[in-house]
Amino acid sequence: MAEFLFTTDADMKSTTLMGGNLDPDKYKFTISNAMDSVIEPLLGTELYNVIAAGAEAANLTGLYLELYNDFVKPITKNAGLSGYLKIASIELNNAGLFKRQPENSIALEDGEIDHISQLYMRKADKDIGRFYKWIGLNPLTEYKISQDRVDSQKIEPASGWYFGE
């Protein structure tokens, strides 16, 4: 059985710069990585498990559905795409590790790729900031500021901007 992801191929392709013919197998691992490295530390394991189980079963309601639609999905999408952009032109196969460049195209410089990747991570960071305000107004029993040796209030945004203490 395939791993459940917090965003769909259709969402990725209709709301980002991702092309419609891109094979999901090329990027779905970066979505999974975003779920593990951004979403779970943000929510904490207990709330993450509630959201994941409910989203997969399509039975989230109330504040849980609002959290999923307004924060979890967009943060996952943007953080996942940010991760994919950094490695999109790289391919590892039996012949080795290559950087692909289609004919009649110009490869972006590393700085340009980093800039676009950071643009999407800043979008995720903006939603993370909105999440903290939302969770303060909508307390959920499964959300703990500190659990599993993770203090969600001290998670630094991946874009490099941090306005905490």
Side-chain angles (χ1 to χ4, degrees), residues 50-72:
V50 168
I51 295 295
E56 186 169 18
N59 65 4
L60 290 172
T61 60
L63 292 176
Y64 297 97
L65 182 60
E66 185 178 341
L67 171 61
Y68 181 66
N69 286 331
D70 293 353
F71 301 101
V72 171

Side-chain angles (χ1 to χ4, degrees), residues 6-159:
F6 289 154
T7 190
T8 65
D9 184 45
D11 286 342
M12 293 296 291
K13 292 177 180 178
S14 68
T15 62
T16 70
L17 59 77
M18 191 174 282
N21 65 346
L22 184 62
D23 180 1
D25 288 339
K26 297 283 187 188
Y27 65 85
K28 67 183 177 183
F29 73 93
T30 64
I31 294 170
S32 179
N33 290 346
M35 290 168 57
D36 293 342
S37 64
V38 177
I39 301 298
E40 187 172 6
L42 179 68
L43 301 180
T45 302
E46 190 175 335
L47 182 55
Y48 176 91
N49 289 340
V50 168
I51 295 295
E56 186 169 18
N59 65 4
L60 290 172
T61 60
L63 292 176
Y64 297 97
L65 182 60
E66 185 178 341
L67 171 61
Y68 181 66
N69 286 331
D70 293 353
F71 301 101
V72 171
K73 287 173 66 175
I75 292 168
T76 302
K77 174 187 70 175
N78 289 315
L81 180 57
S82 175
Y84 178 67
L85 288 170
K86 293 179 181 181
I87 51 128
S89 64
I90 300 170
E91 182 176 332
L92 176 63
N93 61 35
N94 289 338
L97 185 64
F98 300 95
K99 188 169 186 177
R100 295 183 318 271
Q101 182 175 342
E103 290 182 28
N104 301 323
S105 66
I106 299 172
L108 293 177
E109 301 282 330
D110 287 343
E112 294 171 308
I113 294 169
D114 286 342
H115 176 73
I116 296 168
S117 174
Q118 288 176 7
L119 171 73
Y120 277 95
M121 200 59 226
R122 282 193 302 271
K123 288 180 181 209
D125 288 341
K126 175 190 60 88
D127 287 330
I128 290 169
R130 289 179 50 244
F131 163 78
Y132 285 129
K133 291 177 186 173
W134 182 89
I135 198 71
L137 298 172
N138 300 285
L140 299 172
T141 58
E142 299 87 356
Y143 179 73
K144 315 275 189 311
I145 291 175
S146 182
Q147 67 177 334
D148 302 328
R149 294 184 296 276
V150 173
D151 184 345
S152 67
Q153 298 297 309
K154 292 186 179 179
I155 295 174
E156 293 187 25
S159 67

